[in-house]
Amino acid sequence: YDNPIQETYVLLAETPQRWKFQDWGISNSRENLFRLGGEPTWIQNPAVLTCPICNEKMDFLMQLDSGLPTIQNGELMFGSGGICYVFWCNSSKVSGNTIQCT
């Protein structure tokens, strides 16, 4: 990914109960699929990462939806319009990510 995303301000808000779990398969492109904490919105089967150092399952940290604006006025796409999932191992202080798309 050699085309960085545009710098932007982020606002955080508590997720209303209705949006605590989202099903990507029935989303209609109006949902906000960016998420910090909570439960991931999996496109395919859940794929929680395992820490390469301690071999424990990592904690879900956040997900980024495709379509982020790049500094060259394009869009960052994860596959064919997928989601990037970021995980964290607090024991080893290691992060990792995986991508799912259709």
Side-chain angles (χ1 to χ4, degrees), residues 27 63 94:
S27 68
Q63 69 186 41
V94 171

PDB file of all heavy atoms in Angstrom, residues 27 63 94:
ATOM      1  N   SER A  27     -25.566  -5.806   5.196  1.00  0.00           N
ATOM      2  CA  SER A  27     -25.400  -4.348   5.219  1.00  0.00           C
ATOM      3  C   SER A  27     -25.795  -3.776   3.867  1.00  0.00           C
ATOM      4  O   SER A  27     -25.754  -4.452   2.846  1.00  0.00           O
ATOM      5  CB  SER A  27     -23.957  -3.977   5.555  1.00  0.00           C
ATOM      6  OG  SER A  27     -23.094  -4.337   4.510  1.00  0.00           O
ATOM      7  N   GLN A  63     -11.261  -2.086  13.262  1.00  0.00           N
ATOM      8  CA  GLN A  63     -11.384  -2.461  11.852  1.00  0.00           C
ATOM      9  C   GLN A  63     -11.539  -1.199  11.028  1.00  0.00           C
ATOM     10  O   GLN A  63     -12.099  -0.200  11.481  1.00  0.00           O
ATOM     11  CB  GLN A  63     -12.546  -3.413  11.618  1.00  0.00           C
ATOM     12  CG  GLN A  63     -13.916  -2.815  11.800  1.00  0.00           C
ATOM     13  CD  GLN A  63     -15.015  -3.848  11.684  1.00  0.00           C
ATOM     14  OE1 GLN A  63     -14.903  -4.958  12.178  1.00  0.00           O
ATOM     15  NE2 GLN A  63     -16.102  -3.469  11.027  1.00  0.00           N
ATOM     16  N   VAL A  94       2.537  -6.834  20.631  1.00  0.00           N
ATOM     17  CA  VAL A  94       2.617  -7.078  19.186  1.00  0.00           C
ATOM     18  C   VAL A  94       1.246  -6.828  18.574  1.00  0.00           C
ATOM     19  O   VAL A  94       0.230  -7.214  19.139  1.00  0.00           O
ATOM     20  CB  VAL A  94       3.038  -8.547  18.909  1.00  0.00           C
ATOM     21  CG1 VAL A  94       2.914  -8.909  17.460  1.00  0.00           C
ATOM     22  CG2 VAL A  94       4.459  -8.776  19.395  1.00  0.00           C
TER      23      VAL A  94
END
